[in-house]
């Protein structure tokens, strides 16, 4: 399946690669769509074989992707107000830093230094966002405004961007995994208690109402309740992805590395013994070693492009040019994930 979202490992690897652009200046900004923008960066000291200044096209798509590109897409004839705002403040400015906020899928680009600095903040989670802030992270313009009163922050114009709320990288220990599993059992137990209380109340009220309600609607209510409990029963992959914050794809890689089955159903009867938790913790540590080395800059990610056989019909094969490849692009990843390596000889 073609990748449609970048996970934590993808972002960490991409940021590592993009740091080579530090020192280049923003020559221009173009909008390809309301969510996709291209930043043209140039380096006057770097000269190509043709004698021109070195230039790089950096593509950002809100909530989806971030990478350099060799292809210049068709841009809008009339730049949007957001594009004009970006041009006004960062054009001709030098790119001073590229970094990931904690291990969140948030990338910060710094243009300029000191009080004259401006930040481009790209969010690659949920609905995504692209923001322009001043040197103190006060939002000047953005694609999408939203607020979360429960968490006490608002992402909108003339509000300070909540950098302090990013998830700081922290090692996962056996204790962390055990506490996550205990919390899982506590949630299941609380749900069982609530269901029993509801069932008791329903049985008391059903005595007063006989006939069709007892045989019809009450049975329907019990069916909905049981269906709801089955829907809440997730998999080990989904649980670990949420508990660690790495998402389902990376959690599947970790679970396979531990020799477990990612789609194992978890619920009130699910339990891992100490030896299995130990093996799972070792697999998490192995991945976090890789992630920390990439984030800290000590490791250059290898990168893998995965292909699959192009299963064409007879008519499609006849229309293809002679010598065309029988493989097509399927996936890319900065480290070879176990779920993909199983099919590689």
């Amino acid at each position: 399946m073609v990748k449609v979202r970048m996970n934590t490992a993808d972002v960490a690897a991409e940021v590592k690669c993009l740091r080579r652009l530090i020192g280049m200046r923003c020559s221009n900004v173009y909008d390809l769509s309301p969510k996709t923008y291209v930043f043209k960066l140039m380096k006057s000291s770097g000269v190509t074989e043709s004698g021109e200044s070195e230039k790089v096209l950096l593509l950002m798509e809100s909530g989806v992707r971030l990478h350099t590109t060799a292809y210049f897409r068709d841009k809008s004839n009339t730049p949007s107000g957001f594009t004009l705002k970006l041009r006004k403040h960062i054009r001709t400015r030098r790119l001073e830093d590229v970094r990931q906020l904690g291990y969140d899928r948030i990338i910060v680009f710094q243009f300029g230094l000191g009080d004259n600095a401006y930040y481009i903040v790209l969010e690659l989670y949920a609905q995504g966002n692209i923001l322009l802030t001043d040197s103190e992270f006060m939002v000047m313009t953005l694609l999408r405004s939203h607020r979360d009163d429960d968490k006490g922050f608002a992402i909108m114009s003339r509000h300070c961007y909540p950098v302090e709320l990013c998830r700081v990288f922290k090692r996962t220990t056996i204790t962390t995994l055990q506490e996550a599993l205990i919390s899982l059992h506590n949630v299941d137990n609380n749900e069982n208690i609530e269901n029993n209380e509801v069932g008791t109340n329903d049985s008391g009220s059903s005595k007063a109402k006989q006939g069709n309600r007892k045989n019809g609607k009450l049975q329907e209510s019990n069916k909905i309740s049981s269906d709801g409990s089955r829907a809440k029963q997730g998999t080990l992959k989904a649980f670990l992805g949420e508990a660690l914050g790495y998402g389902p794809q990376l959690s599947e890689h970790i679970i396979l590395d531990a020799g477990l089955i990612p789609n194992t159903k978890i619920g009130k009867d699910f339990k891992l013994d100490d030896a299995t938790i130990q093996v799972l913790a070792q697999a998490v540590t192995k991945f976090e070693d890789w992630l920390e080395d990439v984030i800290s800059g000590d490791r250059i990610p290898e990168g893998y492009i995965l292909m699959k056989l192009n299963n064409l019909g007879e008519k499609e094969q006849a229309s293809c040019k002679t010598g065309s490849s029988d493989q097509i692009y399927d996936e890319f990843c900065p480290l070879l994930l176990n779920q993909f390596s199983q099919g590689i000889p």
Side-chain angles (χ1 to χ4, degrees), residues 269-287:
D269 298 327
F270 178 77
K271 187 177 181 181
L272 293 178
D273 56 40
D274 292 341
T276 304
I277 295 177
Q278 176 74 31
V279 174
L280 185 59
Q282 291 174 353
V284 174
T285 299
K286 181 179 177 180
F287 168 73

Side-chain angles (χ1 to χ4, degrees), residues 50-216:
S50 61
E52 298 178 351
S53 299
E54 181 184 358
K55 63 180 180 181
V56 174
L57 299 176
L58 176 62
L59 186 147
M60 299 184 194
E61 184 173 357
S62 174
V64 180
R65 56 179 172 154
L66 165 72
H67 56 82
T68 58
T69 177
Y71 304 99
F72 194 87
R73 280 84 169 172
D74 293 334
K75 60 182 184 295
S76 301
N77 294 328
T78 304
S80 64
F82 182 75
T83 302
L84 293 174
K85 190 84 168 180
L86 295 181
R87 288 179 179 180
K88 176 181 177 181
H89 292 284
I90 70 170
R91 190 158 60 177
T92 72
R93 292 188 180 274
R94 186 174 181 267
L95 180 63
E96 301 291 347
D97 191 23
V98 182
R99 68 180 185 274
Q100 181 179 5
L101 286 185
Y103 71 100
D104 277 329
R105 287 176 292 171
I106 304 174
I107 305 95
V108 176
F109 297 83
Q110 179 183 340
F111 290 90
L113 292 171
D115 295 337
N116 295 320
Y118 293 94
Y119 296 99
I120 298 291
V121 181
L122 172 65
E123 297 179 349
L124 292 176
Y125 62 89
Q127 299 179 47
N129 212 349
I130 300 178
L131 308 92
L132 171 69
T133 78
D134 64 11
S135 60
E136 297 181 350
F137 281 96
M138 186 65 65
V139 177
M140 302 172 67
T141 188
L142 72 168
L143 290 184
R144 184 176 68 91
S145 299
H146 63 97
R147 63 189 305 152
D148 190 329
D149 294 331
D150 294 335
K151 295 182 180 179
F153 72 88
I155 298 181
M156 54 184 62
S157 185
R158 294 189 293 276
H159 283 68
C160 192
Y161 188 79
V163 179
E164 68 281 356
L165 295 182
C166 72
R167 298 179 298 173
V168 179
F169 180 73
K170 187 178 180 180
R171 286 284 190 166
T172 302
T173 63
I174 295 180
T175 304
T176 305
L177 290 176
Q178 290 173 335
E179 289 176 351
L181 290 169
I182 290 173
S183 66
L184 174 66
H185 290 299
N186 289 339
V187 169
D188 286 330
N189 290 334
N190 291 336
E191 288 181 352
N192 289 334
I193 292 173
E194 291 176 358
N195 290 336
N196 289 335
E197 290 176 350
V198 171
T200 302
N201 293 334
D202 286 343
S203 63
S205 61
S206 65
K207 290 179 181 178
K209 297 182 180 181
Q210 302 291 330
N212 292 335
R213 176 172 176 80
K214 180 177 180 181
N215 295 326

